[in-house]
Amino acid sequence: FGGFRPGARLIGTTFRFVLLALVGGLALVVARRGVEGSAQRVAADPVKTTLVGLVAWVLFVPMIVLTAVVLAISLIGIPLLLLLPFAVLVVLVMSVVGFTGTAYAVGQWARRRAGIATMPAFTEICLGMLIILLPLLLGRVVALGGWAFSPIVFLLVAVGLAVEFVAWASGFGAMLTNTFSRWQATRTARSTA
């Protein structure tokens, strides 16, 4: 929580929401198929995608360190160390596309629950991101009330961060699951041909 005032925290969280919405819109334009595939996977099996994403995030740093060590001790692998930052960049792009897909799925769910027939994809993504970040935003607004609301603020911020983390993990898990399914389908098609 540091030394920031509640107003500055609210502005920072709002700015992060706007930034995520812009990045989500960019992901929709650049990788629409990946965003839609991630949204479908999250909507179809949210528990599986979340578990896959959580396991992947837990194993990510050890895998990068292990890969770097193995490449560093092998003579042939030393030049391949230069590719490691690109692998991290690919994982970050997959995370953003996956999170956008999760927000898209949440936005579609909210649209259907509200009884609205259709909405532009970008609007559904922004709605989904707003729903995902809503506990955190509410916590920042309640914090403006002063220290008397500290327990409520702590609870809302903790829930908000947990919900956002689960959304990131679910999206990343959906991207990994979709990538593995495509790889497996391509491999099966090659073996039968």
Side-chain angles (χ1 to χ4, degrees):
F1 289 106
F4 295 109
R5 300 266 181 226
R9 290 185 196 136
L10 177 61
I11 291 169
T13 303
T14 306
F15 177 73
R16 193 161 62 88
F17 166 70
V18 171
L19 187 65
L20 281 173
L22 290 174
V23 170
L26 181 65
L28 180 67
V29 170
V30 174
R32 186 176 192 106
R33 193 171 130 207
V35 170
E36 290 174 346
S38 175
Q40 289 172 355
R41 182 70 70 164
V42 167
D45 199 359
V47 174
K48 179 181 176 183
T49 57
T50 303
L51 290 175
V52 168
L54 288 173
V55 169
W57 280 124
V58 167
L59 296 177
F60 178 69
V61 172
M63 287 296 291
I64 291 293
V65 170
L66 182 65
T67 303
V69 168
V70 168
L71 290 175
I73 61 174
S74 68
L75 196 56
I76 297 171
I78 292 174
L80 295 177
L81 276 172
L82 297 174
L83 297 177
L84 210 52
F86 295 108
V88 172
L89 182 64
V90 166
V91 168
L92 291 176
V93 168
M94 285 178 67
S95 297
V96 168
V97 171
F99 178 73
T100 303
T102 300
Y104 192 26
V106 170
Q108 288 175 335
W109 171 82
R111 175 187 52 80
R112 285 191 299 271
R113 292 284 293 180
I116 300 171
T118 59
M119 222 183 236
F122 179 71
T123 307
E124 288 180 339
I125 288 171
C126 288
L127 178 62
M129 286 185 184
L130 180 64
I131 291 169
I132 291 168
L133 293 176
L134 192 59
L136 186 60
L137 286 167
L138 284 175
R140 300 301 187 207
V141 170
V142 171
L144 296 174
W147 62 270
F149 295 102
S150 293
I152 298 169
V153 170
F154 179 78
L155 182 65
L156 285 170
V157 169
V159 167
L161 291 175
V163 167
E164 186 178 354
F165 179 73
V166 167
W168 280 98
S170 178
F172 188 59
M175 288 298 293
L176 290 175
T177 306
N178 284 344
T179 302
F180 181 73
S181 295
R182 278 193 304 271
W183 173 75
Q184 196 173 25
T186 304
R187 189 172 155 200
T188 304
R190 285 183 185 164
S191 66
T192 59

